[in-house]
Amino acid sequence: MSNLIRSLGYLRVEATDLPAWRDFGVKVLGMTEGRGPDPQAVYLRMDELPARIVVVPGEKDRLAASGWELADPAALTRLVGVLDEAGIAVKPAGADELADRRVSHLISVDDPAGNRLEFFCGAALDSRPSLSSYGTRFVTGIQGMGHVVLPVRDDTASLRFWSEVLGFRLRDSMRLVPEHLGLPPGDRPLWMRFLGCGPRHHSVALAPIPAPTGLVHLMIETETLDDVGRAIDRCGRNKAPMISTLGRHANDEMVSFYVRTPSGFDIEYGYGGLTVDDDTWVARQTTAHSVWGHRFSGGGGH
């Protein structure tokens, strides 16, 4: 199946402390605050979309859904057919949900691990420029907003769903040591899978890493290395908990650091990620997490 899904479009987060998220998104990440239909929500912009991260009030901190963009209604109709054929329950969005998401078409499903996925097309654009007060510019466009690392329990079922049903391409696998993840030793290997749907090396990674919030981390990419350095400085000024040093990943070559969000999951903040051509790319097994750096503290990882 060809790639019907183009990129990661947005995240919806339920949070217990919205003012903290507003400050974190603007003052630490360098995003701009947008406007939206929910007066209680925090809308964080990276580009011409009205929001890439939408934070809504919740009784606990968790990832409510990841949103995935398709080219047009015809592609979405084809995806619905593929999901139906695979026996996946599809929930079409009502008028209220479409208005809330500011898209023309939307469906939602749960993957085998229970991660809520929303597939959409026809996103409304915001005509006001998204100008960061720190001059930060993010890499989005055809690469989408970045990548997510989602927790999965069943590697076989999840890999089959994301690759065979959704059409993502396996770009790399990484063998993990259970003890390094705080898990009991086992005789079966644990795998982290990196999958792509466009030119970005991976838009989703599936990891056997416990994540109470339903998200291990979100990666966002900036246009310059100086943007990353300035963000490190802002973490210090705003007492945002950096949980890794700067480092370069072995597989997607991203130079990045990790910082903990007010909701407890992490943001990987990076520059210089690899883009790939599926016609020439060969999936390999990665044996090292990073070429250098990325020394973690405080329970972070990957």
Side-chain angles (χ1 to χ4, degrees), residues 190-203:
L190 289 180
W191 292 100
M192 188 168 176
R193 308 292 189 180
F194 300 85
L195 300 113
C197 57
R200 191 181 287 284
H201 176 274
H202 59 282
S203 292

Side-chain angles (χ1 to χ4, degrees), residues 41 53 60 73 79 84 100 107 116 121 135 141 157 170 173 183 185 222 246 250 265 284 291:
I53 301 177
K60 63 177 187 174
L79 179 63
D84 283 342
D100 184 59
I107 62 167
R116 172 56 55 98
C121 63
L170 179 65
S173 297
L183 300 173
T222 60
L246 194 68
F265 61 83
R284 299 274 166 82
V291 179

